[in-house]
Amino acid sequence: HGDTFYEVVRHLPAGSRAVAVDLPGGPWGSDSRATLESCVADLCAKGYDASCVFSDSQNVAFEAFDCVLIDADHRYEAVRADWLRHRQKITAFHDIDGEGIKLRDMEIGVPKLWRELKPQYRHVEFIAPSDARRMGIGVLFLEAA
């Protein structure tokens, strides 16, 4: 729905460029076009260069960004493909914590990929210990650990 995108972008300096990629009706989402477009419009009104693309992330090509937040199809194969295709100097992942979590009969594979990647890179984790869902955000810095 754009809430994580909105919260991340609003903490960047005004004028920052931000692009959200969403696949409404995809395996993990709903039809979020209206809410995401509303988030983008609000960010633009606040002075950000924000936009959204409605497509599968594997069909989108970008020029370099300073940072990318991967918060899309949470299956292991899909999040790994997003990492390999879209990683940047700073790459963040949503839902890094947990074991065997299933949603709509699909396993969330982000924690598995996170465990594989984090020993190789400098990283930081943001996990609220009081949150029973313990989803968390992990950030990797591409300099070798």
Side-chain angles (χ1 to χ4, degrees):
H1 301 299
D3 53 340
T4 304
F5 174 73
Y6 184 86
E7 289 301 319
V8 168
V9 174
R10 74 180 190 88
H11 286 89
L12 298 173
S16 295
R17 181 169 177 241
V19 180
V21 178
D22 194 26
L23 184 61
W28 293 95
S30 58
D31 192 354
S32 55
R33 288 178 193 263
T35 55
L36 183 54
E37 288 171 339
S38 177
C39 287
V40 166
D42 190 60
L43 289 166
C44 288
K46 289 178 169 44
Y48 295 96
D49 179 8
S51 61
C52 53
V53 175
F54 295 104
S55 178
D56 184 310
S57 59
Q58 290 302 301
N59 297 328
V60 178
F62 295 107
E63 40 189 90
F65 281 88
D66 292 324
C67 176
V68 64
L69 169 64
I70 298 174
D71 181 17
D73 185 332
H74 287 51
R75 293 174 290 184
Y76 176 83
E77 295 77 13
V79 74
R80 185 174 184 279
D82 278 347
W83 156 254
L84 292 173
R85 181 170 174 88
H86 299 296
R87 64 183 167 205
Q88 298 292 317
K89 292 178 195 174
I90 302 170
T91 303
F93 297 86
H94 188 248
D95 293 333
I96 61 164
D97 197 33
E99 293 290 334
I101 299 170
K102 291 199 179 240
L103 180 64
R104 299 182 194 151
D105 294 324
M106 295 179 285
E107 185 174 346
I108 296 177
V110 184
K112 178 181 176 184
L113 181 65
W114 179 250
R115 286 189 307 273
E116 291 172 9
L117 294 175
K118 71 179 187 176
Q120 302 172 51
Y121 302 97
R122 188 168 59 92
H123 65 278
V124 63
E125 298 178 339
F126 301 93
I127 302 170
S130 60
D131 187 350
R133 298 178 300 167
R134 296 185 51 87
M135 298 179 294
I137 291 181
V139 182
L140 294 178
F141 302 90
L142 288 195
E143 307 91 45

